[in-house]
């Protein structure tokens, strides 16, 4: 999963930030593993305190028989945190990102997980989130949205005239590779959520996962063809992830239900990306807020519609749909409130954003003193054979204007997400 996230985020950001993206993903896995061992697992799956939070099992004390379950859950915790990485790419300090990761993995995410998967109050109401559309994806996306609001947009993203400038990623091949890796990882993500190698259940889960992801690709491709008069590559790649996020109830829905869920997720993706970017002016570099947040909400509500036992379309009435909606609202309130409070306090002490000069130069050099690529050709003669102080600024300004949006509003998000 994290190899996929690293490739997606790297491919769809500018080359000068590639090393920074890779380090964020690598450090997220490492930090999440340690923190989840120390405190996260206990708060999520320990003995409940009022259905709100766990209170036992710190350092896995008394939980030695849960080792495989613990390792599996680490991946979910790290995934929730790394969703933020892509949204804040190219402008957030590595130290600030890691501090937010610590808060997410140590407290914010485990509390949500306890509510739903740890015997908390939402699970007792009957809330269903088999594969994590709310617990993992919506929680991560809400954290990303709040962080983006605090950070603001990248330099040159939004013009003074209100236009949206498309800042191209540097390698869509890496982005596509990342999507394929993530898609494959999702089979383990969802299939493993059965917590047993059940031959009667796992194949069906993998099948619905495959169908929803596939239909997310098809609907986003066809819808961009209809809306933009061509199949947009980056939105189509994102369509796969939209369908995969949307299939939260993979163990509770049929293959026809998964097909419909995926088809709708792909269309939601295209419209939500445009709205968030052009109307809300949230500069989400990889579309994380849409893919994991908006499609996570859709996937959670879809359970209330397509659950073969209790869904509205299967004669179950509106009760489950109402419980699913309540869960979404509760998670939104908790995550937005806690992440917002954490970042507010953090920004009282120091800026969480790199300086303009560091952003222009790229976070690879600013944060790591190195680069993922050799940029020798970028620093050749500027006319008289010398490098001038304004060279970097002028170069970035020209690069940022490549693919600048025209007066046609439908162009604003082409090649802007994943």
């Amino acid at each position: 999963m994290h190899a996929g996230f690293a490739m997606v985020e790297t491919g769809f950001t500018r080359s000068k930030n590639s090393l920074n993206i890779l380090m964020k993903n690598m450090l997220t896995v490492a930090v999440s593993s340690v923190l989840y061992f120390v405190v996260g697992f206990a708060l999520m799956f320990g003995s409940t305190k009022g259905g709100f939070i766990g209170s036992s099992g710190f350092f896995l004390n008394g939980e030695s028989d849960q080792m495989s379950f613990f390792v599996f859950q680490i991946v979910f915790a790290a995934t929730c945190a790394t969703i933020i990485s892509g949204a804040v790419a190219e402008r957030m300090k590595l130290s600030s990102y890691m501090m937010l990761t610590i808060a997410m993995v140590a407290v914010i995410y485990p509390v949500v997980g306890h509510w739903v998967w740890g015997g908390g109050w939402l699970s007792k109401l009957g809330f269903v989130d088999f594969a994590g559309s709310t617990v993992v994806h919506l929680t991560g996306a809400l954290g990303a949205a709040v962080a983006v609001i605090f950070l603001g947009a990248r330099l040159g993203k939004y013009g003074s005239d209100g236009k949206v400038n498309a800042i191209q990623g540097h390698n869509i091949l890496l982005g596509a590779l990342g999507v394929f890796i993530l898609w494959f990882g999702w089979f383990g993500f969802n299939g493993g959520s059965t917590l047993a190698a059940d031959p009667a259940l796992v194949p069906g889960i993998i099948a619905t996962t495959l169908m929803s992801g596939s239909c997310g690709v098809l609907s986003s491709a066809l819808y961009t063809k209809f809306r933009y008069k061509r199949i947009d590559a980056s939105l189509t790649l994102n369509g796969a992830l939209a369908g995969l996020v949307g299939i939260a109830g993979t163990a509770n829905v049929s293959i026809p239900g998964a097909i419909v869920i995926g088809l709708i997720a792909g269309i939601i993706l295209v419209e939500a990306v445009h709205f968030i970017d052009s109307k809300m002016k949230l500069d989400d570099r990889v579309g994380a807020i849409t893919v994991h947040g908006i499609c996570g909400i859709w996937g959670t509500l879809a359970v209330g519609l397509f659950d073969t036992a209790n869904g509205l379309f299967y004669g179950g009435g509106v009760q489950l749909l109402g419980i699913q909606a309540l869960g979404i609202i509760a998670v939104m309130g908790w995550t937005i409130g806690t992440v917002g409070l954490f970042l507010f306090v953090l920004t009282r002490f120091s800026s969480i954003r790199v300086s303009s000069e560091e952003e222009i130069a790229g976070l690879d050099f600013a944060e790591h003193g190195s680069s993922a690529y050799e940029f020798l050709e970028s620093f050749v003669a500027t006319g008289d054979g010398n490098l001038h102080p304004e060279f970097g600024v002028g170069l970035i300004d020209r690069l940022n204007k490549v693919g600048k949006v025209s007066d046609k509003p439908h162009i604003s998000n082409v090649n802007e997400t994943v």
Side-chain angles (χ1 to χ4, degrees):
M1 292 296 288
H2 288 276
F5 280 119
M7 294 301 98
V8 167
E9 294 173 23
T10 301
F12 285 87
T13 53
R14 288 170 288 188
S15 57
K16 64 182 180 177
N17 299 301
S18 298
L19 188 61
N20 184 255
I21 291 289
L22 295 174
M23 288 300 97
K24 284 197 297 183
N25 278 272
M26 183 67 73
L27 289 169
T28 297
V29 175
V31 168
S32 297
S33 298
V34 175
L35 276 176
Y36 203 68
F37 166 72
V38 173
V39 63
F41 185 83
L43 296 181
M44 191 162 172
F45 294 105
S47 300
T48 188
K49 287 292 185 181
F52 179 77
I53 196 169
S55 60
S56 63
F58 297 95
F59 296 92
L60 290 186
N61 185 34
E63 303 289 347
S64 59
D65 60 334
Q66 298 293 313
M67 200 62 66
S68 61
F69 180 66
F70 159 72
V71 172
F72 181 63
Q73 289 297 328
I74 285 175
V75 180
F76 285 85
T79 295
C80 179
T82 207
I83 288 170
I84 300 173
S85 172
V88 302
E90 305 194 306
R91 62 205 188 274
M92 189 173 192
K93 290 179 180 177
L94 179 61
S95 58
S96 299
Y97 166 76
M98 293 312 304
M99 292 183 71
L100 180 55
T101 295
I102 290 171
M104 290 292 295
V105 176
V107 179
I108 298 170
Y109 166 77
V111 168
V112 174
H114 185 77
W115 293 356
V116 180
W117 292 340
W121 68 276
L122 275 177
S123 66
K124 292 178 180 178
L125 288 176
F127 183 84
V128 177
D129 187 9
F130 180 83
S133 280
T134 290
V135 175
V136 178
H137 299 287
L138 179 58
T139 303
L142 291 169
V146 175
V148 167
I149 291 172
F150 271 85
L151 280 169
R154 289 166 292 164
L155 297 176
K157 172 61 180 176
Y158 299 112
S160 57
D161 55 0
K163 289 184 178 180
V164 181
N165 298 322
I167 302 175
Q168 305 288 348
H170 84 282
N171 195 329
I172 198 169
L173 299 178
L174 283 180
L177 175 63
V179 170
F180 276 115
I181 293 173
L182 281 169
W183 197 341
F184 183 74
W186 236 283
F187 296 141
F189 217 46
N190 290 0
S193 292
T194 61
L195 306 180
D198 186 345
L201 185 59
V202 173
I205 290 173
I206 293 176
T208 53
T209 301
L210 175 62
M211 289 300 153
S212 186
S214 298
C215 290
V217 171
L218 294 175
S219 61
S220 58
L222 293 174
Y223 190 67
T224 56
K225 176 66 174 178
F226 166 77
R227 200 181 196 285
Y228 304 135
K229 310 307 178 188
R230 61 185 181 275
I231 294 177
D232 180 78
S234 62
L235 289 174
T236 300
L237 290 170
N238 245 352
L241 304 182
L244 292 166
V245 170
I247 192 66
T250 178
N252 306 74
V253 303
S254 64
I255 286 182
I259 289 173
V260 175
I261 290 171
L263 290 172
I264 294 175
I267 296 172
I268 290 174
L269 165 81
V270 176
E271 288 299 330
V273 162
H274 176 79
F275 181 80
I276 289 173
D277 192 33
S278 299
K279 305 301 182 183
M280 296 182 68
K281 296 291 192 296
L282 293 181
D283 184 12
D284 175 3
R285 174 54 264 180
V286 299
I289 298 171
T290 298
V291 169
H292 301 279
I294 304 301
C295 293
I297 290 173
W298 161 239
T300 304
L301 294 176
V303 174
L305 301 174
F306 294 95
D307 186 298
T308 55
N310 301 302
L312 179 63
F313 296 160
Y314 290 82
V318 298
Q319 181 177 357
L320 179 57
L321 184 62
I323 293 172
Q324 297 297 98
L326 175 63
I328 291 169
I329 294 170
V331 171
M332 290 181 68
W334 164 256
T335 307
I336 293 173
T338 52
V339 174
L341 178 62
F342 177 81
L343 290 178
F344 175 79
V345 173
L346 188 60
T347 52
R348 299 311 96 183
F349 294 94
S350 174
S351 172
I352 63 174
R353 180 169 180 153
V354 299
S355 67
S356 298
E357 293 78 9
E358 290 173 327
E359 184 176 344
I360 290 169
L363 272 62
D364 285 3
F365 281 101
E367 296 274 14
H368 311 287
S370 185
S371 173
Y373 297 98
E374 178 62 58
F375 288 112
L376 189 61
E377 294 183 359
S378 298
F379 297 96
V380 295
T382 61
D384 57 5
N386 297 314
L387 295 180
H388 297 293
E390 68 273 13
F391 173 72
V393 177
L395 174 62
I396 297 303
D397 183 61
R398 293 194 298 276
L399 288 175
N400 285 350
K401 290 180 179 178
V402 173
K404 186 175 181 180
V405 176
S406 68
D407 292 332
K408 297 179 180 180
H410 68 270
I411 302 297
S412 61
N413 292 292
V414 176
N415 293 325
E416 185 54 22
T417 59
V418 167

